[in-house]
Amino acid sequence: MTQLHPAADYRRKVLIVEDEAINRLMLGNIVSRDYEVLYAQNGQEGLDIMKENASGLSLVLLDLLMPVLDGFSVLKIMHEDERLRQIPTVVLTSEGDAEVDSIRLGAMDFIKKPYNNPEVILARIQRIIELFEDRKLIRNVEYDQTGLLTREFFLEYMRQMDEREKADRDLIAVRIENFSLVNEIYGREEGDHILATLADSLRHFLTVHPGIAGHEDAGRFYLYCTHLEDPNELQMIAEELKKLEEIPRVRLRFGIYPVTEQEDADLENRLNSAVFACDSLQESASENIALYDHKVHEEQVLAERLISDMDRALEEKEFLVFLQPKFNVENDKPLIAGAEALVRWKHHDLGMVSPGTFIPLFEKNGLVHPLDLYMLEECARIVSGWWKEYGTKIPVSINLSRIDFYDADLKKKLDDVLAKYGLEKPDIHLEVTESAYTDDNLIVERIREMQEAGYVIEMDDFGAGFSSLNMLSSMPIDYLKLDLKFARTVDTDEKQYHVVECIADFSRYLNVSIIAEGVENREQYEALKKAGCAYVQGYYLDRPLNEEDFLKYIRKEEEEC
Amino acid sequence: MLSIETLRQYGADVEEGLTRCFQNEQFYLRLVKMILEEPNFAALKSKLEEKDLKGAFEAAHGLKGVCANLALTPLCKPVNEITELLRAETEMDYAPLLEQILNGKEELRKLIEE
């Protein structure tokens, strides 16, 4: 006899529910050759055992005429119970007419009394268990924990819908904004609750706009449904979620890729396009629905192009370092004190690409990490060149991204590059954005390790997010770079001026120096200086310079030395 | 003493019965002996006396399955007959059929207890 799935070398459990002792033992003797057998003498006893072992039972063999609770009643109760319904049941019968009723109530097959050849009985039991286990296996792959289709099956059913009938439909990507954060703040259980609620509300939506719904990863869902005349109909899904009182700020974003009868893009591409439209919505944007239109299409094409050109650009050194001079303004005359390294992409085909275009893109998919390391190496080369050529050097700060800190070898990589170019740790300052500090304790610990090893740490964009003065006292920081917004209003808004003054006072006490960036005119410059900022950078003093143009400062340093 | 041979002489289809027991003679004989404790003989008798045809049917039906599984052919015939009559709730004198059944059981008792 062939074996059931080899993965299961344990003995599956079969329950025999039969009131006649002789029949029970005879059947038990047959079944126990291949299975572990449990016995019940009537329907009630059978149900009790099923409830105790529901997920562990592979099959129930059920007699129909029994005292206390008969087989029909057992089938009915099983049928109405979510868990018991999952157990395949074979009815033991000698009554031809009862078979139809049993089938209606969910029985899978019959074993007739008197019993047939035992081998036949065992073969039938095996076949039914196999069928059920395969079905369960397929269901598990087809649907995920939310009860929605998995990506693969969503794509397959999309294909089938198109094949059956060409029509105008919408493919919609749905994303829960910052879902990982929701999980972190409210806990996994609450996160799962949100996913289940959203799945329900998508199912409800499909009763109005027939179609299918799928779930990919944590916060990402899909719909493929009849075309929406008004995309704002999607707001009913968001409304449902607003009922979750305990989590006040769950926001949904939708990206719609309209599929016409003439559609020829393949399924994966369509799905990616809907996702791209969804992700093109900025976090701060008030609207939450994006249509995949010509503009989004152009953006997507550019994004894909930039991502695929990244490796080549690194090899061909298409990324250029620009240096934004940083001045010490504590004396009458501003003195060059360092530079912030800014990246520019001189694309071989597209020309200059703005960092505003490619940095957010690379931050999303992690490509920013190799770019940051590239910048580190380039800056080390430049600073070391100054030293060799002019016998002078000033520190250059490079920007590190969140993802860099998840590289356990980051410190070693930094050390190696500095060693390779014969530099000291304070020669390359590390800029870390304020939000990275508030994201993850691991990041803070890694920054602390760097600082303790001798690196100079600059906290970037201070005041843009949720940081507080209090946190400054416990965080590893050497320099504080004020967010651009301070420089913009410090000369016109008295309150803002006092805020800067207060930050500067407090920082002085902590031995942390303040750097103001984005200084564009004399008024701003004077106000920041007066408020106590020791360092300033911005167009008012100088613009970002390429390597060659920056040499004017190095030569000047050389002369003064 | 009950043996495969005496059962065969009694008229049982022992080959069929043994097949259902994976040819395990001991096990088969043990099950046959259990028929003496089968409560449906007494239930059939009392339900018929009470003219409870539905109750009598349930008892007969239970016996039918057991006798058929044990391949006790001499018992099967009258048990099947009475089951079908009771299923149809036929109003008749069931005494002769009942006697046949109880005699068949008695015969078995002798085989077992001798």
Side-chain angles (χ1 to χ4, degrees):
Chain A
M1 197 164 88
T2 55
Q3 290 295 304
L4 280 157
H5 294 301
D9 47 8
Y10 65 93
R11 276 164 77 83
R12 288 169 169 76
K13 282 184 191 158
V14 171
L15 170 66
I16 297 177
V17 189
E18 159 73 79
D19 62 323
E20 290 290 346
I22 293 170
N23 294 345
R24 200 164 59 231
L25 288 176
M26 184 179 272
L27 187 58
N29 182 53
I30 296 170
V31 178
S32 64
R33 197 194 70 179
D34 294 345
Y35 304 92
E36 187 182 329
V37 182
L38 307 177
Y39 297 95
Q41 298 188 28
N42 60 57
Q44 189 53 54
E45 232 183 84
L47 277 177
D48 293 344
I49 295 178
M50 285 181 222
K51 281 175 187 161
E52 249 173 63
N53 301 274
S55 55
L57 281 179
S58 292
L59 186 85
V60 173
L61 296 169
L62 180 69
D63 188 26
L64 287 177
L65 289 182
M66 285 182 294
V68 188
L69 192 69
D70 66 21
F72 289 112
S73 310
V74 172
L75 280 175
K76 265 185 212 150
I77 294 169
M78 286 178 75
H79 190 66
E80 284 158 13
D81 186 304
E82 179 87 26
R83 281 169 71 223
L84 303 187
R85 205 166 38 217
Q86 316 293 327
I87 314 171
T89 305
V90 171
V91 159
L92 308 169
T93 176
S94 49
E95 311 301 326
D97 54 357
E99 296 175 357
V100 178
D101 289 339
S102 320
I103 280 279
R104 284 204 187 109
L105 285 169
M108 288 284 288
D109 201 357
F110 309 94
I111 289 178
K112 292 222 172 181
K113 287 186 242 177
Y115 301 143
N116 211 321
N117 182 325
E119 295 294 352
V120 175
I121 292 177
L122 287 169
R124 289 175 90 159
I125 291 176
Q126 179 183 327
R127 186 177 61 88
I128 287 166
I129 294 178
E130 263 176 358
L131 273 176
F132 244 73
E133 289 187 354
D134 286 350
R135 192 169 84 175
K136 215 150 118 192
L137 215 62
I138 290 169
R139 279 189 72 84
N140 284 346
V141 182
E142 192 172 4
Y143 299 97
D144 73 356
Q145 86 273 20
T146 63
L148 300 182
L149 294 165
T150 55
R151 182 190 169 94
E152 283 67 29
F153 278 86
F154 181 81
L155 285 168
E156 171 57 22
Y157 286 127
M158 244 173 92
R159 191 186 61 73
Q160 289 183 17
M161 277 169 75
D162 285 356
E163 238 172 41
R164 239 175 278 144
E165 190 192 359
K166 288 260 175 214
D168 288 351
R169 297 194 173 94
D170 286 334
L171 175 56
I172 302 161
V174 186
R175 183 165 60 89
I176 303 175
E177 203 177 286
N178 293 325
F179 183 71
S180 56
L181 214 63
V182 171
N183 250 343
E184 214 163 280
I185 296 171
Y186 297 98
R188 179 73 188 269
E189 207 172 302
E190 206 49 63
D192 287 349
H193 180 53
I194 293 174
L195 294 182
T197 309
L198 179 54
D200 281 344
S201 109
L202 293 180
R203 273 188 283 266
H204 182 229
F205 182 80
L206 292 178
T207 59
V208 188
H209 300 280
I212 53 172
H215 177 217
E216 182 156 10
D217 49 28
R220 172 91 63 202
F221 292 76
Y222 304 113
L223 288 168
Y224 191 49
C225 60
T226 50
H227 175 62
L228 306 178
E229 287 304 329
D230 176 9
N232 276 312
E233 289 186 64
L234 286 168
Q235 302 298 5
M236 72 179 263
I237 297 172
E239 286 303 316
E240 289 277 315
L241 272 195
K242 280 191 190 149
K243 292 177 190 158
L244 292 170
E245 285 169 5
E246 63 274 32
I247 299 174
R249 284 194 306 169
V250 176
R251 290 189 55 180
L252 294 184
R253 303 206 170 277
F254 302 93
I256 306 178
Y257 181 83
V259 180
T260 63
E261 287 186 38
Q262 290 77 40
E263 178 65 49
D264 58 359
D266 73 34
L267 298 171
E268 289 269 0
N269 278 340
R270 285 188 232 169
L271 207 58
N272 290 341
S273 299
V275 168
F276 190 88
C278 184
D279 290 353
S280 71
L281 290 159
Q282 297 299 316
E283 274 190 21
S284 54
S286 56
E287 70 269 23
N288 65 342
I289 299 175
L291 201 64
Y292 188 89
D293 54 13
H294 185 70
K295 186 174 154 273
V296 177
H297 176 73
E298 296 283 298
E299 284 172 20
Q300 187 187 15
V301 169
L302 177 64
E304 280 165 9
R305 171 90 192 263
L306 295 180
I307 288 169
S308 74
D309 287 350
M310 161 91 176
D311 281 345
R312 174 203 158 114
L314 285 174
E315 274 170 32
E316 305 284 324
K317 293 197 178 262
E318 287 183 2
F319 292 106
L320 307 175
V321 177
F322 271 66
L323 298 164
Q324 167 79 63
K326 195 187 292 173
F327 298 90
N328 184 315
V329 295
E330 285 169 310
N331 301 308
D332 290 347
K333 217 175 130 199
L335 292 172
I336 188 77
E340 176 183 357
L342 303 172
V343 62
R344 298 281 185 271
W345 188 350
K346 195 178 175 188
H347 192 279
H348 59 279
D349 196 18
L350 304 168
M352 278 305 210
V353 183
S354 155
T357 306
F358 65 86
I359 294 287
L361 190 65
F362 291 169
E363 274 175 346
K364 241 181 242 175
N365 58 20
L367 284 176
V368 74
H369 184 51
L371 180 60
D372 287 344
L373 294 176
Y374 170 93
M375 289 294 284
L376 162 73
E377 175 118 20
E378 281 295 284
C379 291
R381 178 185 60 74
I382 291 169
V383 176
S384 133
W386 294 338
W387 182 243
K388 281 184 196 143
E389 191 94 356
Y390 305 97
T392 185
K393 56 183 174 181
I394 56 171
V396 170
S397 63
I398 59 162
N399 285 278
L400 290 181
S401 312
R402 276 179 198 80
I403 192 160
D404 296 331
F405 291 97
Y406 294 109
D407 176 356
D409 291 334
L410 177 65
K411 187 178 162 296
K412 186 176 179 304
K413 285 176 182 166
L414 287 165
D415 292 348
D416 289 351
V417 169
L418 293 189
K420 179 177 165 189
Y421 290 94
L423 298 180
E424 307 289 329
K425 291 192 174 73
D427 293 338
I428 298 289
H429 291 196
L430 308 177
E431 282 194 28
V432 187
T433 181
E434 171 204 72
S435 58
Y437 279 80
T438 48
D439 261 9
D440 189 343
N441 272 338
L442 174 78
I443 294 182
V444 177
E445 283 322 302
R446 290 263 158 90
I447 298 171
R448 199 182 301 282
E449 282 167 28
M450 305 275 188
Q451 192 194 38
E452 281 165 5
Y455 285 98
V456 178
I457 310 293
E458 300 184 11
M459 183 197 258
D460 204 3
D461 305 324
F462 178 77
F466 304 101
S467 51
S468 63
L469 280 179
N470 179 42
M471 111 185 199
L472 291 182
S473 59
S474 58
M475 293 288 176
I477 302 165
D478 298 299
Y479 289 86
L480 202 60
K481 295 190 85 167
L482 296 182
D483 188 59
L484 293 169
K485 71 176 181 205
F486 290 107
R488 279 193 200 123
T489 52
V490 69
D491 57 324
T492 52
D493 180 341
E494 200 177 332
K495 274 188 198 155
Q496 197 75 303
Y497 172 84
H498 288 301
V499 171
V500 175
E501 203 175 36
C502 176
I503 297 172
D505 279 349
F506 190 69
S507 302
R508 202 169 300 119
Y509 172 72
L510 295 172
N511 233 352
V512 168
S513 300
I514 302 281
I515 303 169
E517 48 183 343
V519 182
E520 290 178 347
N521 56 48
R522 181 172 188 86
E523 290 73 25
Q524 291 171 352
Y525 172 76
E526 294 295 349
L528 287 164
K529 201 175 153 178
K530 195 171 154 221
C533 291
Y535 298 88
V536 161
Q537 64 182 60
Y539 274 71
Y540 173 64
L541 294 175
D542 209 344
R543 61 190 167 86
L545 303 168
N546 66 25
E547 200 181 326
E548 203 185 316
D549 291 343
F550 196 86
L551 281 177
K552 66 179 179 188
Y553 290 110
I554 300 300
R555 291 194 185 106
K556 210 168 158 198
E557 283 284 295
E558 187 193 15
E559 283 163 20
E560 281 166 14
C561 286
Chain B
M1 196 187 136
L2 188 71
S3 67
I4 295 298
E5 202 37 52
T6 54
L7 260 185
R8 187 176 281 124
Q9 281 164 11
Y10 166 75
D13 187 344
V14 290
E15 274 65 41
E16 196 186 302
L18 278 170
T19 302
R20 287 191 193 109
C21 297
F22 284 124
Q23 305 303 327
N24 184 336
E25 293 184 2
Q26 294 284 344
F27 182 66
Y28 178 46
L29 293 175
R30 198 183 121 212
L31 291 183
V32 172
K33 283 179 197 162
M34 281 174 70
I35 198 139
L36 297 185
E37 291 138 42
E38 172 55 53
N40 276 322
F41 286 108
L44 178 62
K45 187 165 177 273
S46 66
K47 295 291 174 188
L48 282 174
E49 281 164 6
E50 292 164 22
K51 304 256 183 258
D52 174 1
L53 296 191
K54 194 169 172 289
F57 165 71
E58 282 172 11
H61 185 268
L63 281 180
K64 182 184 156 188
V66 172
C67 295
N69 270 336
L70 293 173
L72 301 173
T73 318
L75 265 175
C76 285
K77 199 173 156 290
V79 169
N80 287 356
E81 201 177 325
I82 204 169
T83 306
E84 294 318 307
L85 288 166
L86 287 168
R87 188 200 299 276
E89 295 185 28
T90 315
E91 294 285 348
M92 59 172 280
D93 179 12
Y94 285 98
L97 266 176
L98 178 65
E99 200 188 330
Q100 234 181 300
I101 293 165
L102 296 179
N103 285 345
K105 185 198 168 191
E106 275 315 299
E107 236 183 289
L108 264 178
R109 179 193 297 283
K110 279 178 202 152
L111 280 181
I112 293 164
E113 289 177 354
E114 254 174 20

